[in-house]
Amino acid sequence: MRFLRSALAHVPLALRGLRSRLVVAFALVAVAGALSTGALAFREARTGVLQQSQDTVIRQFRTSIDAVAVYTPMPPSQSDLQTAVNQVLHANQAQGWRVLATYGSLRASAPSADFDMLSPQLRRSVGTARAAVFQRVNVDGHPYLVVGMPVTYNSGENKESKLSGLVMYLVVPQNTEQAYVEAMVSAIEHATLVALGLAVLLALLAARGVLRPVRALRRATRRMAEGHLDVRLAVNGSDELADLSQSFNHTAAALEESVAELRRLEAQARRFVADVSHELRTPLAAMSAVTDVLDEKALRLDRETGEALQLISEGTSRLSVLVNDLMEISRFDAGAAELNLDEIDLAEFVQHTLASRGWQGQVETRLPRPGVLRTRVDPRRLDVVLANLVGNALRHGDPPVRLGMSVRKERTDVAWAVIEVTDNGPGITEEAMPHIFERFYKAGSTRTRSESSGLGLAITAENVHLHGGRVSAANLPGGGAVFTVELPLHRDSAAAADDATGNAW
C-alpha cells in the first residue's frame, strides 16, 4: 500500500485523474479476461486429447470388424455372431471393450450382455448410416464411448456399398482420459483463481480512490433530498472528482439560498392571506348584518334601489364565502388544521347534509340502511366535503345528480367507505383534469365570474387527506363527471359493514 502511494506521488497530475484510474482498472479487467480466455482455450485443447482417444478407438474397432467380416457368412447364425464378437475382443485384449453384434433378431455379446447405454437415437442412426456412429454417455458418474458400426459389402460393377444387416456395437470406458482432462482442468482453474484474486485485489486498490468521493457524494445527495440543504463535501485533490465535489458545493449553496428565499416568500404570502382574511371578517360581519336588514326592507324600495341592494347583498355573500375559504386554506398551510373525530352513521349524515341545504329533491341517493355503516370522522369537515362536491355537481353539471355510498375491501383488515357524486353534464375537459383540485382553478372561462371562489375542491381534497383518505375525479363513459371520495374504515366498522352487505341497500 505504501509502495502504491509513493508510486502515485511521482505520477504527473494529468495522469492521476479519474480517466487514468478507470483506464488502469479496465486494463486489469482485460488482463483477467485474457487469463480466463487462455484457461478456457487450454481446457479445450486438453479436451482434444479425449477426441484423439475416441478416433483411435473407432479406427481400431473398424479394423477389427473388417478382419472378421470376411469370414462371417451372410446371413449369419447365432454361433457365427458369437464367433465374430469373440474374435473382435481377442484382437483388442486389455482394452476393457464390450462388444455386441446384431443381425435381425439375433444378438451376441461378450464379455457381458449389459448394453443399456445404447440409446434409441444411436440404434436408429446405425440402421440408416453406412459409417460409424458414436456417442458419449455417462452412467453413474462414469464416462463411456459407445460406437455403432454397420457392416457393409460391395456389389455390382460400380462396387456400391450396401448394408449387410449386421451391426457391431462397442462400449469402451474412458475413465483414464476423463481423469486426465479433469486433472488438467482443475489445475487451470486453480491458476485462474489465483490470477483472478490478484486482479481483484489490484482493482480494489485502484478503485478505492475513485469510490471514496463517489460514496461521499451519494451520502450528501441523500441528505440533501431529506431537506438538509447545508450539507457540503470536502474537496481533496485536483482531479475530476474534486471538480465534481466543488460543483456540488456551489450548487448546494445556490439551492439553499433559493429555497430559503422561496420559503420566506411563501411564509410571507401565507401570513398576508391569513392577516387579510382575518381583518376582513369584522367589516364583512357588519356588512352582512346591514344587508340582512336592508333585504327585509327591499320590497318597500323602488326597483332600481332594490336591484342595487340585491347586487350588494350577493357580492357581500360571495366575499364572505371567499374569506372563509381563505381562512380555511391558511389553517391547512400553517398545519393548524385538526380533526375533531366523532362516530357517526354515514348514511344519516349524508341525508342531514342534503336536507340542511334543501337538496333532497335535487339529488338521487343510493345509501346503506341506517345503522349499517358507521365510522369516526370529523362531522364538520365531512359536511364541507359533501357540500362542495354536491354543490359543484348542481352548479356545473346537468341533472340527475346522484350520490352513492359503498364499502370496498382491500384486505381483511383494510376497508374504505366509498362516496361517489355523479352528474349528467358535459364532464371535465382533458386540459382541466390534472388541475381540478388546485387552488383558484376554474375549469371554464364562464366560471371566472361565478359564485365559486375556486377553493372548494382544493379544500375538499385537504379535508379528505386530513382523514387519511383519497379523492379523485374522472369522466363517465356515457357523459358526465364523477368525484370519488375514499375514507378509511376502522376494523370494527368494516366488519359491521361486511356482515350487513347483503341487506344494506
Side-chain angles (χ1 to χ4, degrees):
M1 186 68 181
R2 188 175 301 173
F3 170 78
L4 289 176
R5 290 179 179 175
S6 60
L8 289 174
H10 294 84
V11 176
L13 292 177
L15 299 179
R16 289 161 59 184
L18 177 61
R19 180 180 300 176
S20 301
R21 297 179 186 179
L22 290 178
V23 168
V24 173
F26 276 110
L28 293 175
V29 173
V31 170
L35 291 175
S36 301
T37 304
L40 291 175
F42 188 66
R43 186 175 63 180
E44 291 297 327
R46 289 299 177 266
T47 305
V49 172
L50 192 62
Q51 181 70 34
Q52 182 179 1
S53 173
Q54 169 187 298
D55 295 342
T56 301
V57 168
I58 294 176
R59 184 169 54 254
Q60 292 177 356
F61 189 43
R62 181 183 291 109
T63 301
S64 300
I65 291 177
D66 290 343
V68 170
V70 177
Y71 303 102
T72 303
M74 290 296 162
S77 63
Q78 179 68 36
S79 60
D80 294 333
L81 289 180
Q82 191 62 51
T83 301
V85 168
N86 293 336
Q87 290 178 352
V88 171
L89 285 177
H90 180 74
N92 298 276
Q93 295 180 356
Q95 298 288 335
W97 286 16
R98 280 187 286 174
V99 180
L100 169 68
T102 64
Y103 184 85
S105 60
L106 299 178
R107 291 171 56 93
S109 61
S112 66
D114 183 14
F115 286 88
D116 294 338
M117 63 278 296
L118 296 180
S119 64
Q121 295 85 353
L122 180 67
R123 293 177 183 271
R124 287 194 298 268
S125 299
V126 172
T128 58
R130 288 179 170 81
V133 179
F134 63 90
Q135 186 179 27
R136 293 176 182 173
V137 297
N138 193 293
V139 179
D140 298 331
H142 299 286
Y144 291 90
L145 176 64
V146 181
V147 183
M149 187 172 296
V151 176
T152 61
Y153 62 92
N154 298 330
S155 63
E157 298 179 356
N158 298 328
K159 302 298 182 180
E160 181 182 0
S161 72
K162 293 185 179 180
L163 295 175
S164 64
L166 175 62
V167 179
M168 304 286 286
Y169 294 95
L170 171 66
V171 177
V172 184
Q174 291 194 310
N175 294 327
T176 303
E177 292 82 356
Q178 186 67 21
Y180 176 72
V181 172
E182 289 179 354
M184 295 303 299
V185 171
S186 178
I188 294 174
E189 288 178 348
H190 284 87
T192 303
L193 289 177
V194 173
L196 181 61
L198 180 61
V200 169
L201 177 61
L202 294 177
L204 289 176
L205 293 176
R208 183 177 180 181
V210 177
L211 295 179
R212 187 187 297 112
V214 172
R215 289 170 180 166
L217 179 61
R218 182 181 59 186
R219 289 192 297 268
T221 304
R222 289 179 178 175
R223 286 183 55 83
M224 181 177 290
E226 294 171 355
H228 302 282
L229 301 180
D230 57 342
V231 63
R232 298 293 184 272
L233 293 175
V235 180
N236 298 317
S238 58
D239 56 10
E240 290 86 348
L241 290 175
D243 293 340
L244 179 60
S245 300
Q246 190 68 35
S247 300
F248 175 84
N249 291 339
H250 290 324
T251 303
L255 181 61
E256 182 181 16
E257 183 178 354
S258 300
V259 170
E261 180 65 17
L262 289 175
R263 288 175 177 172
R264 185 186 66 81
L265 294 176
E266 184 180 6
Q268 184 178 358
R270 291 176 178 176
R271 186 168 57 251
F272 173 77
V273 171
D275 292 344
V276 169
S277 301
H278 182 74
E279 293 298 329
L280 285 176
R281 295 188 70 179
T282 301
L284 276 176
M287 293 172 61
S288 298
V290 171
T291 54
D292 290 342
V293 174
L294 293 177
D295 285 340
E296 296 177 357
K297 300 180 180 181
L299 297 177
R300 296 192 295 271
L301 300 175
D302 57 88
R303 185 175 62 85
E304 293 182 356
T305 304
E307 292 177 353
L309 180 59
Q310 184 180 3
L311 290 176
I312 293 174
S313 178
E314 292 176 354
T316 303
S317 176
R318 288 197 298 269
L319 185 58
S320 178
V321 171
L322 176 60
V323 169
N324 290 332
D325 288 346
L326 288 174
M327 290 292 293
E328 188 71 10
I329 284 292
S330 66
R331 293 190 188 97
F332 285 115
D333 291 341
E338 296 180 353
L339 289 176
N340 296 316
L341 298 177
D342 189 14
E343 185 173 345
I344 64 172
D345 184 282
L346 291 180
E348 291 183 352
F349 186 81
V350 168
Q351 296 286 10
H352 173 74
T353 297
L354 298 178
S356 64
R357 291 167 174 81
W359 290 342
Q360 282 185 311
Q362 305 177 55
V363 179
E364 299 178 5
T365 59
R366 185 173 181 267
L367 305 173
R369 291 186 298 103
V372 171
L373 187 54
R374 300 180 62 86
T375 188
R376 291 176 58 82
V377 296
D378 187 327
R380 184 184 69 84
R381 297 189 182 278
L382 182 58
D383 180 76
V384 171
V385 170
L386 294 174
N388 283 339
L389 293 181
V390 175
N392 185 74
L394 292 173
R395 285 193 303 270
H396 307 296
D398 294 333
V401 174
R402 300 181 179 89
L403 191 154
M405 184 181 298
S406 61
V407 176
R408 182 173 60 82
K409 299 192 68 175
E410 291 184 353
R411 300 192 303 270
T412 56
D413 58 341
V414 178
W416 301 83
V418 181
I419 303 173
E420 289 186 344
V421 178
T422 63
D423 61 69
N424 200 33
I428 306 170
T429 62
E430 295 182 1
E431 296 79 8
M433 188 66 72
H435 313 285
I436 198 68
F437 293 104
E438 292 181 2
R439 300 175 183 181
F440 298 107
Y441 182 81
K442 297 185 179 182
S445 58
T446 58
R447 297 178 55 193
T448 56
R449 298 183 61 85
S450 66
E451 295 182 2
S452 173
S453 63
L455 293 174
L457 292 180
I459 293 175
T460 297
E462 294 286 355
N463 281 318
V464 172
H465 296 157
L466 195 61
H467 281 85
R470 302 180 292 228
V471 61
S472 61
N475 288 319
L476 296 173
V482 54
F483 286 84
T484 304
V485 174
E486 296 176 290
L487 298 176
L489 292 175
H490 299 288
R491 182 177 298 179
D492 297 339
S493 302
D498 187 55
D499 293 339
T501 298
N503 301 316
W505 305 103

